[in-house]
Amino acid sequence: MVRLAAVIAFLVTMVSPAAAEPGAEDVYRALGVFDAPTDYVVLVDTSGSMAEHQRYDNVRTNLRTFFGKLGDRDLVTLVTFDVVPSMVHSGSPKSAVAAVDAMPVVPRGAATDIGAALELAVSLLEGGKPGLSGAIVLITDGIARPPAASRYHEQGGPAWSELAARGRGLASRTGGYVVPVASGESGTDQMRSVVPGTVLLPYAEGVGDFLSRLQEQVKRGNARRALGDDLTSGVEVSWSVPDGADLADPVAAKLVLRSTARAMPLELRNLRVETQGLPGEVRGLPDRVELAAGERRELELTMSSTEPAWKGIGRVAHPVRADLRFAADVGTSWRPVLERDLGVRLENPAASAGGTWNGVLTKGVRWLYLLFAFVALITLPLTGFLLWARRNPVMRGVLVAIGGDDTTHRIPLHGSRRVTFPRPEAGGLGGRFRVRGATAPRGTPVLTYLKPDGTAGQSRMCPPDAGDLDLYGVVFRYHRNATH
């Protein structure tokens, strides 16, 4: 048994009709993030620069709206920061709405220590509820001015490196989101150094529009992280054909497929097989195949010869060594949602799997079949002749026909099976008589009158030495033992 194995992005069995294109909510549900709770840590800059252009007042107003739209199972931790970070609230979104009033009425901070605020956020999520997705939301005018005594005074220093390492430990379940309340600097670089893949929301006066969209951005971020390796996942494939199998008869080949995707369905199109050295073809590949995430399926294929099996005298087994290669184009029904709504890029490689098969192809006509054909060639004509001879036995003796004017015909029947002779004169009637031997009594002549128009008249048997037989005005006498 030859085993061929490879990892391909998808290959499968059963052709299924095209389903309706899934929407973003369908994908979110499949990934388990549609209504999954999120642990929000909201960092609000309370440095003095936030008082300009009513930035801080707008933030507080819109935070109440944002917290009011969150789900009951979400968690909210509200942190203000300037020289040092300070936790204002930790609990449900409903209580967070009221906690906004506990924030400083006027931002008066003399510094903006984004690093210290991020460190507190990371610590809170590290000690948070296991398995819960996290979101760090940074709301700032972006002017980072940590105090001289801060561990994060030096950008890229040891404290930042340590914090970045801790942030990478949360990367699989935590997203970063920056809401700028002023043009120019936004603190995004500092945030991304700790939370890779941080999303920067576009700046606009008054942060209301962007806070209203933040919940959807968080859901998208959770979906992107839930996809994980699915964006490059494929299918483990192994197939087998019996070693030494004979292509003279169809050979069954089994293809086993297992999706390595955790959540994303895969689909395979334009399935094809290429062969070298195979005097035949492989059948059974569908036009399109779908696999659910983690699904295992078997595909039954058939290899058969395209060469005439009868070619050659005698049965001869010819060795076959063939290189086989499967290939297909890979994709997913989620592609429009992933690229349009989540902004991710799929990198599923083209499907391929190949190997070598060793077998035989037996061709030629068996000698026994040739013997049967030879016997049949002789027997069939002989049998046909014997059947014909049985139905037309040999006649013997002499048949005498006497016409109406006493014209006499003596017709020797020695060895004759059929005889046709003119009608003796009988009152001007025309026509002929046909004579054949009866099967019982064997060889006794049976006479049939053939009219001038070619139609057959009455047929009568003429028993030997039994007197005269009058048939259409002609008298017949049959002498079995006569010779002339």
Side-chain angles (χ1 to χ4, degrees), residues 398-400 402 447 460-470 474-479:
V398 175
L399 182 66
V400 177
I402 304 171
L447 296 110
R460 297 283 297 277
M461 183 183 295
C462 187
D465 306 318
D468 296 341
L469 171 64
D470 189 334
V474 178
V475 177
F476 293 93
R477 297 173 188 160
Y478 173 46
H479 304 284

Side-chain angles (χ1 to χ4, degrees), residues 10-77:
F10 182 78
L11 193 63
V12 149
T13 163
M14 190 183 303
V15 179
S16 58
E21 179 182 305
E25 289 190 0
D26 299 318
V27 174
Y28 293 160
R29 291 182 190 279
L31 291 172
V33 302
F34 178 73
D35 54 0
T38 300
D39 191 353
Y40 288 88
V41 179
V42 181
L43 309 176
V44 181
D45 185 355
T46 54
S47 62
S49 60
M50 287 287 290
E52 299 176 11
H53 306 292
Q54 296 184 320
R55 296 168 185 165
Y56 186 68
D57 291 339
N58 288 335
V59 168
R60 294 181 67 199
T61 299
N62 287 288
L63 278 178
R64 293 186 181 93
T65 303
F66 172 62
F67 292 153
K69 292 181 178 180
L70 296 182
D72 293 338
R73 296 191 299 156
D74 291 327
L75 297 177
V76 173
T77 300

Side-chain angles (χ1 to χ4, degrees), residues 400-410 421-427 473-475:
V400 177
I402 304 171
D405 57 355
D406 294 329
T407 303
T408 301
H409 284 220
R410 296 183 65 84
F421 62 92
R423 185 179 191 282
E425 287 296 328
V474 178
V475 177

Side-chain angles (χ1 to χ4, degrees), residues 412-429:
L413 302 178
H414 297 293
S416 299
R417 296 182 182 276
R418 286 177 180 267
V419 176
T420 302
F421 62 92
R423 185 179 191 282
E425 287 296 328
L429 292 175

Side-chain angles (χ1 to χ4, degrees), residues 109-474:
T112 308
D113 196 345
I114 294 178
L118 291 175
E119 179 182 357
L120 177 58
V122 169
S123 297
L124 290 169
L125 291 176
E126 286 176 335
K129 190 175 180 179
L132 200 62
S133 296
I136 301 176
V137 182
L138 176 62
I139 304 176
T140 178
D141 60 4
I143 303 176
R145 293 173 180 168
S150 172
R151 299 175 61 226
Y152 299 96
H153 188 274
E154 180 184 354
Q155 184 66 33
W160 281 105
S161 298
E162 178 186 342
L163 185 58
R166 294 172 61 188
R168 286 193 295 271
L170 296 173
S172 63
R173 62 181 182 89
T174 300
Y177 306 88
V178 174
V179 182
V181 296
S183 60
E185 294 292 331
S186 62
T188 305
D189 291 341
Q190 291 93 335
M191 183 78 150
R192 283 178 177 164
S193 69
V194 179
V195 186
T198 289
V199 176
L200 172 63
L201 278 69
Y203 162 74
E205 289 291 341
V207 296
D209 290 342
F210 299 104
L211 277 178
S212 66
R213 290 186 236 162
L214 179 58
Q215 188 177 13
E216 177 63 22
Q217 290 289 345
V218 171
K219 188 179 296 184
R220 291 180 182 180
N222 292 341
R224 283 191 289 267
R225 286 186 296 278
L227 282 167
D229 294 336
D230 278 12
L231 298 178
T232 57
S233 63
V235 173
E236 292 180 351
V237 158
S238 65
W239 75 284
S240 62
V241 184
D243 238 356
D246 194 342
L247 276 176
D249 299 314
V251 177
K254 181 183 293 185
L255 188 66
V256 181
L257 314 165
R258 188 183 70 84
S259 170
T260 63
R262 189 190 62 83
M264 185 172 69
L266 299 176
E267 63 181 13
L268 187 68
R269 296 177 181 270
N270 191 24
L271 280 73
R272 53 202 181 273
V273 61
E274 300 172 357
T275 64
Q276 287 187 344
L278 182 70
E281 58 187 357
V282 180
R283 299 176 180 176
L285 286 176
D287 296 327
R288 179 174 176 267
V289 179
E290 292 184 354
L291 278 184
E295 181 181 1
R296 181 184 182 278
R297 192 180 300 176
E298 293 184 359
L299 184 64
E300 299 292 338
L301 307 179
T302 302
M303 296 198 323
S304 58
S305 171
T306 55
E307 295 189 0
W310 50 264
K311 191 175 181 180
I313 304 300
R315 298 287 286 175
V316 179
H318 304 274
V320 175
R321 180 181 176 85
D323 293 326
L324 309 174
R325 178 179 176 81
F326 292 95
D329 301 327
V330 178
T332 176
S333 58
W334 287 8
R335 180 182 293 274
V337 171
L338 299 184
E339 294 182 348
R340 178 188 64 230
D341 297 332
L342 301 186
V344 297
R345 181 180 179 183
L346 291 169
E347 297 181 0
N348 303 107
S352 64
T356 302
W357 174 70
N358 295 293
V360 296
L361 173 58
T362 302
K363 295 189 297 183
V365 181
R366 298 180 186 274
W367 287 106
L368 185 59
Y369 293 166
L370 293 175
L371 178 60
F372 285 160
F374 178 74
V375 171
L377 188 63
I378 296 176
T379 302
L380 290 178
L382 179 60
T383 302
F385 173 75
L386 292 177
L387 290 175
W388 178 83
R390 181 177 178 81
R391 297 179 61 185
N392 298 275
V394 173
M395 297 179 291
R396 59 189 177 88
V398 175
L399 182 66
V400 177
I402 304 171
D405 57 355
D406 294 329
T407 303
T408 301
H409 284 220
R410 296 183 65 84
I411 305 146
L413 302 178
H414 297 293
S416 299
R417 296 182 182 276
R418 286 177 180 267
V419 176
T420 302
F421 62 92
R423 185 179 191 282
E425 287 296 328
L429 292 175
R432 297 179 300 164
F433 285 96
R434 181 177 62 202
V435 184
R436 63 177 178 83
T439 57
R442 191 168 182 79
T444 301
V446 176
L447 296 110
T448 301
Y449 176 56
L450 302 177
K451 299 177 182 179
D453 60 5
T455 60
Q458 186 179 13
S459 297
R460 297 283 297 277
M461 183 183 295
C462 187
D465 306 318
D468 296 341
L469 171 64
D470 189 334
L471 186 62
Y472 289 92
V474 178

